Amino acid sequence: MSTSAIIFMIISMVLIWGGLIASIIHLRNNPDVPMSQVPDDNF
């Protein structure tokens, strides 16, 4: 692999994983459903 291909691969991996982590953090801080309305499933 050439140097430019490795650099673009690293940049794309950082963008994808960074977006995933940012969306998880955002969803944890701003849930769609209030936790008081989530059913408690006891199996």
Side-chain angles (χ1 to χ4, degrees), residues 20-34:
L20 177 65
I21 292 170
S23 64
I24 290 172
I25 291 172
H26 177 73
L27 187 58
R28 286 188 66 186
N29 291 335
N30 303 308
D32 292 338
V33 177

Side-chain angles (χ1 to χ4, degrees), residues 1-10:
M1 291 176 89
S2 65
T3 305
S4 62
I6 293 173
I7 291 172
F8 279 115
M9 181 182 70
I10 291 172

